[in-house]
Amino acid sequence: MDIIKLIFSIIFTLVFIYMGIYSLYLFIFSIAGKLIVQKAPPVASAYSKFVIYICSYKEDAIILDSAAQALTIDYPKDKFHVCVIADSMQPQTIVKLKEMPLQVVEVVFESSTKSKALHAAIANTFEDFDAAVVFDIDNIAAPDYLRHINDYLHAGKRVIQGHRVAKNTETPVAILDAISEEVNNHIFRKAQQVFNLSSAIIGSGMALEYRLFKDTMAQIDAVGGFDKEMGLVLTRQNIHVAYADAALIYDEKVSNPEVFKKQRRRWLSAQFNLLKTYGMTGFTELFTRGNFDYFNEIYQTAILPRILMLGLMPFMLIISLLTPGVGPSWQMWLTATALCYIGILVAVPAQFFNSKLLGAVLKIPMIFFAMLALLFKLKGANKKFIHTPHNPTSN
């Protein structure tokens, strides 16, 4: 009996170390991001030349509007070039795209991925550009997006992640998705800058010096999670990723629970696949080169989604109350749970605390159990591209 108790104590202690460190991480970065203001760089006196890559897989009803919106960005017209990578588009859509003042790169792959699309675009880019920007098919940039990115480039930043925000919050699932995005923006992007750490790159809305973008993409051939792999490749070379909080890029949030589950399954699979591939290199880089930025990126591939932490922390607190003397005390679990919840709540922007929030919160248990189930269904999710359908009415 004492052996069984010892085994459970060890297990509960290891779980507490993992979840306790994660809760403290969320708390520290969330609070720091609120208390310490990051100054934006000065307005640049010159204009960098950009190529904007729009990755478009099917979704013919969306790409025409997205491409047209990209052309209206408030920036000198001779200083940016729009390139649409048209993957598996209808012929009539291609015709309409070619009527616009932009470049169309037509591609069809047996198995489509964003990295393959970007490789094709790079191979068809012949002009000299200062920087490359990547948009998803549903992204709409704020009019001043490129101006903010330009300021960071002229301040010496080589990689800049823009501030991706929701353009639709019509359903509880979309609201939760939008909140999740903003929590990530605050903790894993904005607050990282406080400690001079790199912001986490998202799949769109980011800009890189063109030569650096080309060289980095040459090292990436991911089915899913190309953005996470990009962050690892960059930080391993001690290249800092800046965050432009004012450079807004509007992104469609998932409204359908089934689509949400498929998307998260792909993301989780990609995340843990990268952890398996690169995990041990984090310790090597940390102890041999002192590269804490890269180690921090590796750590972020090892953490659970916040929605799971919201459910698992109180669950473990209850377990500790029911099993006194086994593992960490309930007081320790209560402290860790409080740090986790405070960290997440502080990161939620004030505008989300409205009448729609209650309906979204009521969906959390359903999403929690769906996400928990996904942890046991990740096999094969990163072997094949899983398309996230979009709603054309949200543009």
Side-chain angles (χ1 to χ4, degrees):
M1 202 66 179
D2 288 338
I3 295 177
I4 294 176
K5 183 177 180 181
L6 177 61
I7 292 172
F8 275 103
S9 291
I10 293 173
I11 293 173
F12 287 171
T13 299
L14 291 175
V15 171
F16 178 79
I17 291 172
Y18 172 84
M19 298 178 72
I21 291 174
Y22 185 11
S23 296
L24 184 61
Y25 185 96
L26 293 174
F27 178 81
I28 290 174
F29 279 92
S30 187
I31 297 299
K34 286 290 184 182
L35 296 180
I36 303 174
V37 178
Q38 295 289 295
K39 292 183 178 180
V43 176
S45 58
Y47 295 104
S48 301
K49 190 173 184 180
F50 293 94
V51 55
I52 300 175
Y53 292 125
I54 303 179
C55 301
S56 55
Y57 175 73
K58 298 185 177 179
E59 303 287 4
D60 296 72
I62 293 175
I63 185 56
L64 294 175
D65 182 62
S66 296
Q69 292 278 2
L71 292 168
T72 66
I73 292 176
D74 182 20
Y75 198 75
K77 299 304 178 184
D78 62 333
K79 292 294 184 179
F80 75 99
H81 170 73
V82 177
C83 174
V84 174
I85 308 109
D87 185 354
S88 305
M89 290 283 175
Q90 297 296 323
Q92 57 269 32
T93 304
I94 299 295
V95 170
K96 291 179 180 179
L97 283 171
K98 288 183 175 179
E99 293 173 352
M100 299 181 183
L102 50 77
Q103 179 184 3
V104 180
V105 176
E106 298 179 63
V107 294
V108 177
F109 303 109
E110 183 177 343
S111 178
S112 295
T113 67
K114 185 181 289 188
S115 55
K116 287 181 182 178
L118 289 171
H119 287 312
I122 291 170
N124 285 276
T125 301
F126 304 110
E127 293 188 59
D128 291 328
F129 293 98
D130 297 306
V133 173
V134 178
F135 286 171
D136 278 342
I137 189 172
D138 60 302
N139 290 163
I140 302 297
D144 59 356
Y145 170 83
L146 284 182
R147 292 182 181 272
H148 288 296
I149 298 296
N150 184 59
D151 293 341
Y152 280 84
L153 283 172
H154 282 271
K157 305 301 181 182
R158 304 182 67 192
V159 186
I160 307 102
Q161 174 62 57
H163 182 172
R164 208 168 68 176
V165 296
K167 64 180 179 182
N168 62 303
T169 53
E170 75 282 1
T171 70
V173 173
I175 292 171
L176 288 177
D177 197 10
I179 291 174
S180 176
E181 180 95 276
E182 289 295 0
V183 169
N184 287 340
N185 283 334
H186 180 76
I187 295 175
F188 298 104
R189 296 180 185 99
K190 182 179 179 181
Q192 300 290 317
Q193 304 292 292
V194 173
F195 300 94
N196 199 32
L197 294 170
S198 287
S199 297
I201 291 180
I202 328 175
S204 63
M206 72 282 201
L208 292 83
E209 287 182 350
Y210 190 77
R211 176 54 60 181
L212 177 61
F213 175 73
K214 187 174 180 179
D215 292 343
T216 302
M217 285 304 304
Q219 303 175 57
I220 297 173
D221 192 26
V223 175
F226 101 96
D227 50 340
K228 293 183 183 296
E229 188 168 10
M230 177 179 281
L232 291 171
V233 170
L234 290 168
T235 53
R236 194 171 188 177
Q237 300 173 77
N238 288 302
I239 296 173
H240 181 77
V241 180
Y243 177 62
D245 192 42
L248 301 181
I249 179 83
Y250 297 95
D251 179 75
E252 183 186 333
K253 299 294 106 184
V254 176
S255 299
N256 184 290
E258 289 304 313
V259 174
F260 183 92
K261 286 192 287 186
K262 289 181 180 179
Q263 183 191 66
R264 262 43 181 193
R265 177 172 177 257
R266 172 168 54 90
W267 288 1
L268 280 171
S269 178
Q271 175 181 329
F272 292 133
N273 184 63
L274 288 172
L275 176 63
K276 182 173 67 174
T277 303
Y278 292 94
M280 293 309 298
T281 64
F283 292 99
T284 304
E285 290 291 316
L286 178 63
F287 294 120
T288 62
R289 300 178 58 205
N291 191 344
F292 188 79
D293 200 17
Y294 179 73
F295 181 81
N296 184 53
E297 285 282 326
I298 291 290
Y299 175 71
Q300 290 177 13
T301 68
I303 58 180
L304 292 171
R306 265 66 58 210
I307 191 75
L308 288 179
M309 289 292 285
L310 288 174
L312 290 175
M313 291 303 295
F315 174 76
M316 292 305 300
L317 173 59
I318 293 171
I319 293 295
S320 69
L321 287 167
L322 297 176
T323 56
V326 180
S329 66
W330 68 267
Q331 292 94 338
M332 295 175 70
W333 276 109
L334 178 61
T335 301
T337 302
L339 291 175
C340 174
Y341 272 71
I342 292 171
I344 293 174
L345 285 173
V346 167
V348 178
Q351 67 264 26
F352 285 100
F353 291 95
N354 54 40
S355 58
K356 293 181 179 180
L357 184 61
L358 178 59
V361 169
L362 293 175
K363 290 286 185 181
I364 289 179
M366 176 198 74
I367 294 176
F368 167 78
F369 286 109
M371 293 289 288
L372 193 63
L374 288 180
L375 292 178
F376 304 96
K377 300 178 181 178
L378 298 181
K379 187 176 180 180
N382 202 47
K383 300 295 183 183
K384 184 179 180 181
F385 174 69
I386 301 174
H387 173 56
T388 303
H390 299 281
N391 179 9
T393 62
S394 66
N395 273 347

Short mmCIF file of all heavy atoms in Angstrom, two decimals, residues 341-395:
data_model
loop_
_atom_site.label_atom_id
_atom_site.label_comp_id
_atom_site.label_asym_id
_atom_site.label_seq_id
_atom_site.Cartn_x
_atom_site.Cartn_y
_atom_site.Cartn_z
N TYR A 341 -5.47 30.94 -13.55
CA TYR A 341 -6.70 31.68 -13.89
C TYR A 341 -6.45 33.18 -13.97
O TYR A 341 -6.95 33.85 -14.88
CB TYR A 341 -7.80 31.36 -12.87
CG TYR A 341 -8.63 30.15 -13.25
CD1 TYR A 341 -8.09 28.87 -13.18
CD2 TYR A 341 -9.94 30.29 -13.69
CE1 TYR A 341 -8.84 27.76 -13.53
CE2 TYR A 341 -10.70 29.19 -14.04
CZ TYR A 341 -10.15 27.92 -13.96
OH TYR A 341 -10.90 26.83 -14.33
N ILE A 342 -5.68 33.71 -13.03
CA ILE A 342 -5.38 35.15 -13.05
C ILE A 342 -4.59 35.49 -14.31
O ILE A 342 -4.88 36.48 -14.99
CB ILE A 342 -4.59 35.57 -11.80
CG1 ILE A 342 -5.47 35.46 -10.56
CG2 ILE A 342 -4.07 37.00 -11.95
CD1 ILE A 342 -4.72 35.64 -9.25
N GLY A 343 -3.61 34.65 -14.64
CA GLY A 343 -2.80 34.89 -15.83
C GLY A 343 -3.63 34.95 -17.09
O GLY A 343 -3.45 35.83 -17.93
N ILE A 344 -4.57 34.03 -17.22
CA ILE A 344 -5.42 33.99 -18.42
C ILE A 344 -6.41 35.15 -18.42
O ILE A 344 -6.59 35.84 -19.44
CB ILE A 344 -6.15 32.64 -18.52
CG1 ILE A 344 -5.14 31.51 -18.78
CG2 ILE A 344 -7.21 32.68 -19.63
CD1 ILE A 344 -5.73 30.12 -18.75
N LEU A 345 -7.06 35.41 -17.29
CA LEU A 345 -8.07 36.48 -17.23
C LEU A 345 -7.46 37.85 -17.49
O LEU A 345 -8.06 38.68 -18.18
CB LEU A 345 -8.78 36.46 -15.87
CG LEU A 345 -9.80 35.34 -15.66
CD1 LEU A 345 -10.29 35.33 -14.22
CD2 LEU A 345 -10.98 35.50 -16.62
N VAL A 346 -6.29 38.11 -16.94
CA VAL A 346 -5.63 39.41 -17.14
C VAL A 346 -5.32 39.64 -18.61
O VAL A 346 -5.35 40.77 -19.11
CB VAL A 346 -4.34 39.49 -16.29
CG1 VAL A 346 -3.47 40.67 -16.72
CG2 VAL A 346 -4.68 39.60 -14.82
N ALA A 347 -5.06 38.55 -19.33
CA ALA A 347 -4.70 38.66 -20.75
C ALA A 347 -5.90 38.89 -21.67
O ALA A 347 -5.73 39.21 -22.85
CB ALA A 347 -3.96 37.41 -21.19
N VAL A 348 -7.11 38.70 -21.16
CA VAL A 348 -8.32 38.89 -21.98
C VAL A 348 -8.61 40.38 -22.13
O VAL A 348 -8.78 41.08 -21.13
CB VAL A 348 -9.54 38.17 -21.36
CG1 VAL A 348 -10.80 38.42 -22.20
CG2 VAL A 348 -9.28 36.68 -21.23
N PRO A 349 -8.68 40.92 -23.35
CA PRO A 349 -8.97 42.34 -23.54
C PRO A 349 -10.33 42.73 -22.96
O PRO A 349 -11.27 41.93 -22.95
CB PRO A 349 -8.96 42.50 -25.07
CG PRO A 349 -8.12 41.38 -25.56
CD PRO A 349 -8.41 40.24 -24.63
N ALA A 350 -10.43 43.97 -22.50
CA ALA A 350 -11.64 44.45 -21.83
C ALA A 350 -12.89 44.36 -22.70
O ALA A 350 -13.99 44.13 -22.18
CB ALA A 350 -11.42 45.89 -21.36
N GLN A 351 -12.73 44.52 -24.02
CA GLN A 351 -13.91 44.55 -24.89
C GLN A 351 -14.66 43.23 -24.94
O GLN A 351 -15.81 43.17 -25.38
CB GLN A 351 -13.54 44.99 -26.31
CG GLN A 351 -12.67 44.02 -27.09
CD GLN A 351 -11.21 44.38 -27.01
OE1 GLN A 351 -10.77 45.01 -26.05
NE2 GLN A 351 -10.44 44.01 -28.03
N PHE A 352 -14.02 42.14 -24.50
CA PHE A 352 -14.69 40.84 -24.52
C PHE A 352 -15.57 40.61 -23.29
O PHE A 352 -16.34 39.66 -23.26
CB PHE A 352 -13.67 39.71 -24.65
CG PHE A 352 -13.09 39.58 -26.02
CD1 PHE A 352 -11.84 40.10 -26.32
CD2 PHE A 352 -13.81 38.96 -27.04
CE1 PHE A 352 -11.31 39.99 -27.59
CE2 PHE A 352 -13.29 38.85 -28.31
CZ PHE A 352 -12.04 39.37 -28.59
N PHE A 353 -15.44 41.47 -22.29
CA PHE A 353 -16.29 41.34 -21.11
C PHE A 353 -17.62 42.05 -21.38
O PHE A 353 -17.85 43.17 -20.94
CB PHE A 353 -15.59 41.91 -19.87
CG PHE A 353 -14.41 41.09 -19.43
CD1 PHE A 353 -13.13 41.44 -19.85
CD2 PHE A 353 -14.58 39.97 -18.64
CE1 PHE A 353 -12.03 40.69 -19.46
CE2 PHE A 353 -13.48 39.21 -18.24
CZ PHE A 353 -12.21 39.57 -18.65
N ASN A 354 -18.48 41.39 -22.14
CA ASN A 354 -19.75 41.97 -22.54
C ASN A 354 -20.86 40.92 -22.42
O ASN A 354 -20.65 39.82 -21.89
CB ASN A 354 -19.68 42.53 -23.97
CG ASN A 354 -19.18 41.48 -24.96
OD1 ASN A 354 -19.55 40.31 -24.88
ND2 ASN A 354 -18.34 41.90 -25.90
N SER A 355 -22.03 41.23 -22.95
CA SER A 355 -23.20 40.35 -22.81
C SER A 355 -23.03 39.02 -23.54
O SER A 355 -23.69 38.04 -23.20
CB SER A 355 -24.45 41.07 -23.34
OG SER A 355 -24.28 41.46 -24.70
N LYS A 356 -22.14 38.97 -24.54
CA LYS A 356 -21.95 37.73 -25.29
C LYS A 356 -21.02 36.74 -24.57
O LYS A 356 -20.99 35.56 -24.92
CB LYS A 356 -21.34 38.04 -26.67
CG LYS A 356 -22.25 38.82 -27.60
CD LYS A 356 -21.55 39.04 -28.94
CE LYS A 356 -22.43 39.79 -29.93
NZ LYS A 356 -21.72 39.98 -31.23
N LEU A 357 -20.30 37.23 -23.57
CA LEU A 357 -19.29 36.39 -22.94
C LEU A 357 -19.89 35.18 -22.23
O LEU A 357 -19.33 34.09 -22.28
CB LEU A 357 -18.46 37.22 -21.95
CG LEU A 357 -17.29 36.50 -21.29
CD1 LEU A 357 -16.29 36.02 -22.34
CD2 LEU A 357 -16.59 37.40 -20.28
N LEU A 358 -21.03 35.37 -21.57
CA LEU A 358 -21.64 34.27 -20.83
C LEU A 358 -21.94 33.09 -21.74
O LEU A 358 -21.65 31.93 -21.39
CB LEU A 358 -22.92 34.74 -20.13
CG LEU A 358 -23.68 33.65 -19.35
CD1 LEU A 358 -22.79 33.06 -18.26
CD2 LEU A 358 -24.96 34.22 -18.75
N GLY A 359 -22.51 33.36 -22.90
CA GLY A 359 -22.82 32.28 -23.84
C GLY A 359 -21.57 31.56 -24.28
O GLY A 359 -21.58 30.33 -24.47
N ALA A 360 -20.48 32.31 -24.43
CA ALA A 360 -19.22 31.69 -24.83
C ALA A 360 -18.65 30.83 -23.70
O ALA A 360 -18.17 29.72 -23.93
CB ALA A 360 -18.22 32.77 -25.24
N VAL A 361 -18.72 31.36 -22.47
CA VAL A 361 -18.19 30.63 -21.31
C VAL A 361 -18.91 29.30 -21.13
O VAL A 361 -18.30 28.29 -20.75
CB VAL A 361 -18.31 31.49 -20.03
CG1 VAL A 361 -18.02 30.67 -18.79
CG2 VAL A 361 -17.36 32.68 -20.11
N LEU A 362 -20.21 29.28 -21.41
CA LEU A 362 -20.98 28.05 -21.26
C LEU A 362 -20.54 26.96 -22.24
O LEU A 362 -20.84 25.78 -22.05
CB LEU A 362 -22.48 28.34 -21.46
CG LEU A 362 -23.13 29.22 -20.38
CD1 LEU A 362 -24.58 29.54 -20.74
CD2 LEU A 362 -23.05 28.54 -19.02
N LYS A 363 -19.82 27.36 -23.29
CA LYS A 363 -19.31 26.39 -24.26
C LYS A 363 -17.96 25.79 -23.84
O LYS A 363 -17.50 24.82 -24.44
CB LYS A 363 -19.13 27.07 -25.63
CG LYS A 363 -20.43 27.44 -26.34
CD LYS A 363 -21.11 26.20 -26.89
CE LYS A 363 -22.34 26.58 -27.71
NZ LYS A 363 -23.02 25.38 -28.24
N ILE A 364 -17.34 26.37 -22.81
CA ILE A 364 -16.01 25.92 -22.40
C ILE A 364 -15.98 24.44 -22.00
O ILE A 364 -15.07 23.71 -22.43
CB ILE A 364 -15.45 26.82 -21.28
CG1 ILE A 364 -15.09 28.20 -21.85
CG2 ILE A 364 -14.23 26.19 -20.62
CD1 ILE A 364 -14.54 29.18 -20.83
N PRO A 365 -16.94 23.95 -21.19
CA PRO A 365 -16.89 22.51 -20.85
C PRO A 365 -16.92 21.60 -22.07
O PRO A 365 -16.17 20.62 -22.14
CB PRO A 365 -18.14 22.32 -19.98
CG PRO A 365 -18.39 23.67 -19.38
CD PRO A 365 -18.02 24.64 -20.46
N MET A 366 -17.76 21.92 -23.05
CA MET A 366 -17.85 21.12 -24.26
C MET A 366 -16.51 21.12 -25.01
O MET A 366 -16.02 20.07 -25.43
CB MET A 366 -18.95 21.67 -25.19
CG MET A 366 -19.05 20.95 -26.52
SD MET A 366 -19.96 21.91 -27.78
CE MET A 366 -18.74 23.16 -28.21
N ILE A 367 -15.91 22.31 -25.13
CA ILE A 367 -14.64 22.41 -25.84
C ILE A 367 -13.52 21.74 -25.05
O ILE A 367 -12.63 21.12 -25.62
CB ILE A 367 -14.31 23.88 -26.14
CG1 ILE A 367 -15.35 24.46 -27.13
CG2 ILE A 367 -12.92 24.04 -26.70
CD1 ILE A 367 -15.18 25.91 -27.42
N PHE A 368 -13.57 21.85 -23.73
CA PHE A 368 -12.56 21.21 -22.89
C PHE A 368 -12.52 19.70 -23.14
O PHE A 368 -11.46 19.13 -23.38
CB PHE A 368 -12.83 21.48 -21.41
CG PHE A 368 -12.02 20.61 -20.48
CD1 PHE A 368 -10.69 20.89 -20.23
CD2 PHE A 368 -12.59 19.51 -19.87
CE1 PHE A 368 -9.93 20.09 -19.39
CE2 PHE A 368 -11.85 18.70 -19.03
CZ PHE A 368 -10.51 18.98 -18.78
N PHE A 369 -13.69 19.06 -23.08
CA PHE A 369 -13.73 17.61 -23.27
C PHE A 369 -13.38 17.23 -24.71
O PHE A 369 -12.77 16.19 -24.96
CB PHE A 369 -15.10 17.06 -22.87
CG PHE A 369 -15.32 17.03 -21.39
CD1 PHE A 369 -16.22 17.91 -20.79
CD2 PHE A 369 -14.62 16.15 -20.59
CE1 PHE A 369 -16.42 17.90 -19.41
CE2 PHE A 369 -14.80 16.13 -19.20
CZ PHE A 369 -15.71 17.01 -18.62
N ALA A 370 -13.75 18.09 -25.66
CA ALA A 370 -13.38 17.83 -27.06
C ALA A 370 -11.86 17.89 -27.23
O ALA A 370 -11.26 17.05 -27.89
CB ALA A 370 -14.06 18.84 -27.98
N MET A 371 -11.23 18.91 -26.62
CA MET A 371 -9.78 19.05 -26.70
C MET A 371 -9.08 17.92 -25.97
O MET A 371 -8.04 17.41 -26.43
CB MET A 371 -9.36 20.40 -26.10
CG MET A 371 -9.81 21.61 -26.90
SD MET A 371 -8.93 21.79 -28.47
CE MET A 371 -7.32 22.29 -27.90
N LEU A 372 -9.63 17.51 -24.84
CA LEU A 372 -9.04 16.41 -24.08
C LEU A 372 -9.05 15.13 -24.90
O LEU A 372 -8.07 14.39 -24.94
CB LEU A 372 -9.82 16.21 -22.77
CG LEU A 372 -9.17 15.31 -21.71
CD1 LEU A 372 -7.85 15.90 -21.23
CD2 LEU A 372 -10.13 15.12 -20.54
N ALA A 373 -10.16 14.90 -25.61
CA ALA A 373 -10.27 13.71 -26.46
C ALA A 373 -9.28 13.77 -27.62
O ALA A 373 -8.75 12.74 -28.05
CB ALA A 373 -11.70 13.58 -26.98
N LEU A 374 -9.01 14.98 -28.11
CA LEU A 374 -8.10 15.14 -29.25
C LEU A 374 -6.69 14.70 -28.91
O LEU A 374 -5.94 14.28 -29.80
CB LEU A 374 -8.09 16.60 -29.72
CG LEU A 374 -9.32 17.12 -30.45
CD1 LEU A 374 -9.12 18.58 -30.84
CD2 LEU A 374 -9.63 16.28 -31.67
N LEU A 375 -6.30 14.79 -27.65
CA LEU A 375 -4.96 14.38 -27.25
C LEU A 375 -4.70 12.91 -27.54
O LEU A 375 -3.55 12.49 -27.69
CB LEU A 375 -4.75 14.64 -25.75
CG LEU A 375 -4.71 16.11 -25.30
CD1 LEU A 375 -4.56 16.19 -23.79
CD2 LEU A 375 -3.58 16.86 -25.99
N PHE A 376 -5.79 12.14 -27.65
CA PHE A 376 -5.65 10.70 -27.92
C PHE A 376 -5.97 10.37 -29.38
O PHE A 376 -6.05 9.20 -29.75
CB PHE A 376 -6.59 9.92 -27.00
CG PHE A 376 -6.36 10.20 -25.54
CD1 PHE A 376 -7.13 11.15 -24.87
CD2 PHE A 376 -5.35 9.55 -24.84
CE1 PHE A 376 -6.92 11.42 -23.52
CE2 PHE A 376 -5.13 9.82 -23.50
CZ PHE A 376 -5.92 10.76 -22.83
N LYS A 377 -6.15 11.42 -30.20
CA LYS A 377 -6.49 11.21 -31.61
C LYS A 377 -5.57 12.00 -32.55
O LYS A 377 -5.97 12.43 -33.62
CB LYS A 377 -7.95 11.64 -31.87
CG LYS A 377 -8.98 10.88 -31.06
CD LYS A 377 -10.39 11.41 -31.33
CE LYS A 377 -11.43 10.68 -30.52
NZ LYS A 377 -12.80 11.22 -30.74
N LEU A 378 -4.32 12.18 -32.12
CA LEU A 378 -3.40 13.00 -32.90
C LEU A 378 -2.67 12.22 -33.98
O LEU A 378 -2.11 12.80 -34.90
CB LEU A 378 -2.36 13.66 -31.97
CG LEU A 378 -2.92 14.62 -30.92
CD1 LEU A 378 -1.79 15.20 -30.10
CD2 LEU A 378 -3.75 15.73 -31.56
N LYS A 379 -2.68 10.91 -33.87
CA LYS A 379 -1.93 10.09 -34.83
C LYS A 379 -2.42 10.33 -36.26
O LYS A 379 -3.60 10.24 -36.55
CB LYS A 379 -2.06 8.61 -34.49
CG LYS A 379 -1.17 7.71 -35.33
CD LYS A 379 -1.28 6.26 -34.89
CE LYS A 379 -0.38 5.37 -35.74
NZ LYS A 379 -0.46 3.94 -35.33
N GLY A 380 -1.49 10.68 -37.11
CA GLY A 380 -1.80 10.88 -38.53
C GLY A 380 -2.29 12.27 -38.89
O GLY A 380 -2.38 12.62 -40.06
N ALA A 381 -2.59 13.10 -37.87
CA ALA A 381 -3.12 14.44 -38.16
C ALA A 381 -2.10 15.34 -38.82
O ALA A 381 -2.45 16.31 -39.49
CB ALA A 381 -3.63 15.09 -36.87
N ASN A 382 -0.81 15.04 -38.63
CA ASN A 382 0.24 15.88 -39.21
C ASN A 382 0.84 15.27 -40.47
O ASN A 382 1.84 15.73 -40.98
CB ASN A 382 1.36 16.11 -38.17
CG ASN A 382 2.17 17.35 -38.49
OD1 ASN A 382 1.62 18.39 -38.79
ND2 ASN A 382 3.48 17.22 -38.44
N LYS A 383 0.20 14.21 -40.98
CA LYS A 383 0.69 13.56 -42.20
C LYS A 383 0.01 14.12 -43.44
O LYS A 383 0.52 14.00 -44.55
CB LYS A 383 0.43 12.05 -42.12
CG LYS A 383 1.10 11.36 -40.94
CD LYS A 383 2.61 11.41 -41.04
CE LYS A 383 3.26 10.64 -39.89
NZ LYS A 383 4.72 10.74 -39.92
N LYS A 384 -1.16 14.70 -43.25
CA LYS A 384 -1.94 15.19 -44.38
C LYS A 384 -2.51 16.56 -44.05
O LYS A 384 -2.95 16.82 -42.94
CB LYS A 384 -3.08 14.20 -44.70
CG LYS A 384 -3.89 14.58 -45.92
CD LYS A 384 -4.97 13.53 -46.18
CE LYS A 384 -5.80 13.89 -47.40
NZ LYS A 384 -6.87 12.89 -47.66
N PHE A 385 -2.51 17.45 -45.05
CA PHE A 385 -3.04 18.79 -44.88
C PHE A 385 -4.53 18.75 -44.58
O PHE A 385 -5.30 18.08 -45.28
CB PHE A 385 -2.79 19.60 -46.15
CG PHE A 385 -3.42 20.98 -46.14
CD1 PHE A 385 -2.95 21.96 -45.30
CD2 PHE A 385 -4.48 21.28 -46.99
CE1 PHE A 385 -3.52 23.23 -45.29
CE2 PHE A 385 -5.05 22.53 -46.99
CZ PHE A 385 -4.57 23.51 -46.14
N ILE A 386 -4.95 19.44 -43.50
CA ILE A 386 -6.36 19.52 -43.13
C ILE A 386 -6.82 20.95 -43.36
O ILE A 386 -6.38 21.88 -42.68
CB ILE A 386 -6.58 19.12 -41.66
CG1 ILE A 386 -6.08 17.69 -41.42
CG2 ILE A 386 -8.04 19.22 -41.28
CD1 ILE A 386 -6.11 17.25 -39.97
N HIS A 387 -7.69 21.13 -44.32
CA HIS A 387 -8.14 22.46 -44.71
C HIS A 387 -9.18 22.99 -43.74
O HIS A 387 -10.10 22.28 -43.34
CB HIS A 387 -8.72 22.40 -46.12
CG HIS A 387 -9.37 23.67 -46.57
ND1 HIS A 387 -8.72 24.88 -46.58
CD2 HIS A 387 -10.64 23.91 -47.03
CE1 HIS A 387 -9.54 25.82 -47.04
NE2 HIS A 387 -10.71 25.25 -47.30
N THR A 388 -9.05 24.26 -43.34
CA THR A 388 -10.04 24.92 -42.51
C THR A 388 -10.94 25.77 -43.40
O THR A 388 -10.51 26.78 -43.95
CB THR A 388 -9.37 25.84 -41.46
OG1 THR A 388 -8.48 25.07 -40.67
CG2 THR A 388 -10.41 26.49 -40.58
N PRO A 389 -12.21 25.36 -43.59
CA PRO A 389 -13.11 26.13 -44.46
C PRO A 389 -13.45 27.48 -43.86
O PRO A 389 -13.49 27.64 -42.63
CB PRO A 389 -14.35 25.23 -44.55
CG PRO A 389 -14.31 24.39 -43.32
CD PRO A 389 -12.86 24.17 -43.02
N HIS A 390 -13.71 28.46 -44.73
CA HIS A 390 -14.02 29.81 -44.28
C HIS A 390 -15.41 30.22 -44.72
O HIS A 390 -15.98 29.67 -45.66
CB HIS A 390 -12.99 30.81 -44.83
CG HIS A 390 -11.60 30.51 -44.37
ND1 HIS A 390 -11.15 30.88 -43.12
CD2 HIS A 390 -10.55 29.90 -44.99
CE1 HIS A 390 -9.88 30.51 -42.99
NE2 HIS A 390 -9.50 29.92 -44.09
N ASN A 391 -15.92 31.23 -44.04
CA ASN A 391 -17.26 31.75 -44.33
C ASN A 391 -17.14 33.02 -45.14
O ASN A 391 -16.67 34.04 -44.63
CB ASN A 391 -17.99 32.03 -43.01
CG ASN A 391 -19.37 32.59 -43.23
OD1 ASN A 391 -19.88 32.62 -44.35
ND2 ASN A 391 -19.99 33.07 -42.16
N PRO A 392 -17.57 33.01 -46.41
CA PRO A 392 -17.41 34.20 -47.24
C PRO A 392 -18.17 35.42 -46.75
O PRO A 392 -17.83 36.54 -47.09
CB PRO A 392 -17.93 33.74 -48.61
CG PRO A 392 -18.81 32.58 -48.33
CD PRO A 392 -18.22 31.91 -47.13
N THR A 393 -19.19 35.23 -45.93
CA THR A 393 -19.98 36.37 -45.45
C THR A 393 -19.28 37.16 -44.36
O THR A 393 -19.71 38.24 -44.00
CB THR A 393 -21.34 35.89 -44.90
OG1 THR A 393 -21.09 35.02 -43.77
CG2 THR A 393 -22.12 35.15 -45.94
N SER A 394 -18.17 36.63 -43.81
CA SER A 394 -17.49 37.32 -42.72
C SER A 394 -16.47 38.34 -43.22
O SER A 394 -15.86 39.03 -42.44
CB SER A 394 -16.78 36.30 -41.81
OG SER A 394 -15.74 35.65 -42.51
N ASN A 395 -16.25 38.41 -44.51
CA ASN A 395 -15.29 39.38 -45.06
C ASN A 395 -15.88 40.77 -45.03
O ASN A 395 -17.07 40.96 -45.13
CB ASN A 395 -14.92 39.03 -46.49
CG ASN A 395 -13.75 38.04 -46.53
OD1 ASN A 395 -13.08 37.82 -45.53
ND2 ASN A 395 -13.52 37.47 -47.67
#
